Amino acid sequence: MVIGGVAAGLSAASRARKLDPQIEIVVFEKTPYISYGACGLPYYIEGQVDKLSTLQVYDVAYFARERNISVRINTEVTNIAPNRREVQLASGERVTYDALVIATGTRRRFELPDSFPLDTWRDAERLHERIASRPGRNAVVVGGGYIGLEAVGALRAQGFRVTLHQSSANLLGRKDPWLTKMVLSHLERCRVEVHLESRIKERPAADLVVIASGLKPNVGLAADAGVELGATGAIRVTDRMETNLADVYAAGDCAEALHLVSGAPVWIPLGTTANKMGRVAGATVVGARERFTGVAGTSIVGVCGLAVASTGFSESMARDAGFQPVSTTVEAMDKPRYFQGRKTHVQLTADRRTGRLLGGTVIGESSATGRVNVIATALQQRMTVDAFGQLDLAYAPPYATVWDPLLLAARQLAQAL
Amino acid sequence: MVIGGVAAGLSAASRARKLDPQIEIVVFEKTPYISYGACGLPYYIEGQVDKLSTLQVYDVAYFARERNISVRINTEVTNIAPNRREVQLASGERVTYDALVIATGTRRRFELPDSFPLDTWRDAERLHERIASRPGRNAVVVGGGYIGLEAVGALRAQGFRVTLHQSSANLLGRKDPWLTKMVLSHLERCRVEVHLESRIKERPAADLVVIASGLKPNVGLAADAGVELGATGAIRVTDRMETNLADVYAAGDCAEALHLVSGAPVWIPLGTTANKMGRVAGATVVGARERFTGVAGTSIVGVCGLAVASTGFSESMARDAGFQPVSTTVEAMDKPRYFQGRKTHVQLTADRRTGRLLGGTVIGESSATGRVNVIATALQQRMTVDAFGQLDLAYAPPYATVWDPLLLAARQLAQAL
C-alpha cells in the first residue's frame, strides 16, 4: 500500500511491481491528479506548457493495465493504525496492508486571503483560471525559493509587474550572499522589485498574490501513527527507506535524506530525490537490497532566463557544518567568442584542512547544468580541489573552452587554500 | 628553454614565470605563428571564425612585455646536445639551457600531391586561400578522426559535395561499432559519402583534397638526442613531465600520458591535455611539485551539428585492455518536450567483475558536453555503476529531465551486469 500518487509514491509502486509480478499493490491519492511533473507547473502559468495534461506522465488506466497497480484517486487516508496494519479512509473504509509506503509530500503552512500557491495540479489550475479571468497589472510573489523565482518568471511572461518578498536575507534557500547578489542583479535587469528580510503578515495590495513560502513536510498522518520525525521535521528513514515502525516506509518530500557532504540528515524536497527514494522504497518492500545513499543538494532554476545551479555547501553553510571553508569565484566564457560564448560564473568552496571540495554554484546559460553535475559527482566522491583541477573535461570550440571555467575555478581555489 | 610555441610550450613557459619571476625563459618556435587555438582552425575554413587572428591568444610582444618571456619565432631547433645542455638552431647558432621543455607537437606522416592538411595556422591559411581562389564542387577528406570530421563539416558549409575516406572500420579513432554507426547515419543525413576501410594511396580525383590522417608525435629531434620514446611512439614522461634525460622535459602532443582507466601509457593528442601537461612541466622546471595524473581520453566533436562526446573505453577497447566489459545504450530526451527537448543517446560501459565504470559516449545536442564530463569525473574516481546511478544531478524543466539520461543508462547497465 502506498499513500500518495505523485513522484515518490508511484515510483515505489512501479519498482515493487517490476521486481515482484505477484504482489497486490494499491495507491491512495487524495486528489484526482496523479503521476504529474509538479516541477512543470510554473511553466504552465508561464505559457510554455500549453495544457496541464502535458505534465501528466501516466493515468490511472495505464497503471491498472500496464503495471497491475490499483490507483485510487480522490481517496484520502485519514488514519494509520500500525498495530493492526490498517489504514482508514475518509469514507470510513478500512484497508489492511502488509507493507506501507508513506509518500505524502509537502504542505504549505503559510496562507493569505485571496492568494495562490503553486504546488499542485489544482493550484496551477486555479492560478491559471484567475489570470485568464481577471488579468491584472501588479503581482506579488511571497517566497524567494525555487518555486517563488519560477513564479516570478511566469508572471513576468504574463505581463505582470512583479514584486518579490523573501523573509530571509538569502534567495533560493541557500545561505550564500554572493549567489543572492548575482540573482538580485539579474532580477533588477528584468525589472523585478525584490524585498529581502521582508516578512509578509497581511495580504499585500496587488492584483495577484502568489504564495511560495512556508513549505513543510506533510507528516501529520505519519506522526499521528507514531512514525518518528527527524530534527528537520521530516520523517526519519534509513538508506532503505525504513521508518521506526515495522513494515512502514517513507519516501519523497515527506522524508529526510543524508547530505553527502556533511553526513547529516537534511530536508531538501526535490523531484529527483523523490523518484530515487521511491524506487528504493519499492525495492525494500519486496525484499530487494537497494540503497539511497543521500543527496548533494543539487539544483538548478531558471530565473528569467538565467540558469542558477548549486550543489553542496556555500561558504556560510560549510562553516555552519563545522568545516573551515575557503571560496573562490571566477567569471569566464563558456565557449569561444566566435561560437557566441557567454559569460559563466563559477563559485567553488573547499575545506582548508583537507582540501576537500564542499560545494559549488554555476550561473549562466544552460551549460550550467552539466557543470554543476560535474561538481555534484565530485562531491559524492569526496574529491579534493587538486584532483578536481585534473579533470579531463571535453573541449571543442562549438561546445567549450580549452580551460573549462570549472578548471579555472579549481586552479584559483587551490592557490587560495 | 622551450621548443614549441603553441599550447604546451607556452603553458610551460607561463607557469614557470608565474612561479619564478627571476629565471630567464626563451621559447623557440619554427613557424611565425604562436599561441593560437589550433582546434579552431576548421572553424575558420567553415566561416565561423572570420579571421585567423581571432584564434591567436597572445603575441610575441605580449609575452615579452607581460610575462618577460622571450619568444623567438621563425627559429627552428635542429639539434639537441643534452651532454652540453645546448641546442643548435637552423641558423647554426648554439644556445645553452639549464632546463629544456620539448613541446614539438605532432607531424603528419601522410601526404598526397596537391592536398591540404589542416593542422597548423599556415595549413589553414593555404586551405582558405585555395577555396577562395578556386572554388570547387567536390572535395575528398582523407581521415575520419576529429580533424577529418570537422573538415567535412567545414567543407559542407562551404558548399562542397564531400566524400570521406577512413582507413579503418571505425570513425573518430575509437574502436566502437555503435559510435561509428551513429555517426555514419548522421553523415548520411547530411549527404556526406563515407568509405570505411578505404586506404587512399593516390590522390583522389576531386577539386579539393584535405588530408587528416596519419598524425604522429613529432619526436625526431628528441629521439635523435637520446630521449626515450614509449611504445606509443611518443615521448615517455613521468607525472612531472620528466624524460629519461636529466633536465629535459616533454609536454603536449609529443608526449605520452597515463590512461586513467587502464593505467597504461597512451598517446591522445588534445589541446586540453597539452595545456595541462605544459603547466606541470613549467612547475617542475622551477622545482614546484605538481603532477599530471593522466587522461580519460575525453573528447567532443561537432559532426555537421551533431555533438559526439566520448570518454574512457568503449566495449572493444575495454576488452583489449583486459576488462570484462558490458555495455548498454539508451535513447532519451535531454529536456522535456515542452522545452524543445531533443533525443540524446548515452552508451555506458562497465566491468562485469568489479562493476566499475570504464567509459561512455553521449551523442546529441550541446548538453552532451556536460554529460560526458560527468562520466569523465566518474572515471577519474573509479566509480562503480551503482554509485553512478545514485548521482544527485540537477533538474528543472528548462534544463534537464527528472531522470537524467545518464541515470537511465546507469540503471539499465546495473541490471545487465
Side-chain angles (χ1 to χ4, degrees), chain B residues 260-279:
Chain B
L260 291 167
V261 176
S262 65
V266 289
W267 184 64
I268 304 177
L270 286 173
T272 46
T273 306
N275 277 290
K276 287 185 191 124
M277 288 174 123
R279 270 175 67 85

Side-chain angles (χ1 to χ4, degrees), chain A residues 394-396 398-399, chain B residues 43 144-146 149-150 171-174 176 178-187 189 270 297-311 344-347 360-373:
Chain A
Y395 163 58
Y399 305 110
Chain B
Y43 302 98
Y146 303 107
L149 285 170
E150 288 174 330
L171 291 172
L172 288 171
R174 195 170 169 87
D176 185 347
W178 175 81
L179 175 70
T180 294
K181 202 176 148 193
M182 294 287 294
V183 174
L184 278 180
S185 109
H186 183 72
L187 286 171
R189 279 193 296 276
L270 286 173
T298 313
S299 65
I300 187 166
V301 62
V303 180
C304 300
L306 183 74
V308 179
S310 287
T311 186
T344 192
H345 296 263
V346 175
Q347 182 192 52
T361 292
V362 185
I363 300 177
E365 306 291 310
S366 64
S367 62
T369 320
R371 292 202 171 89
V372 85
N373 286 343

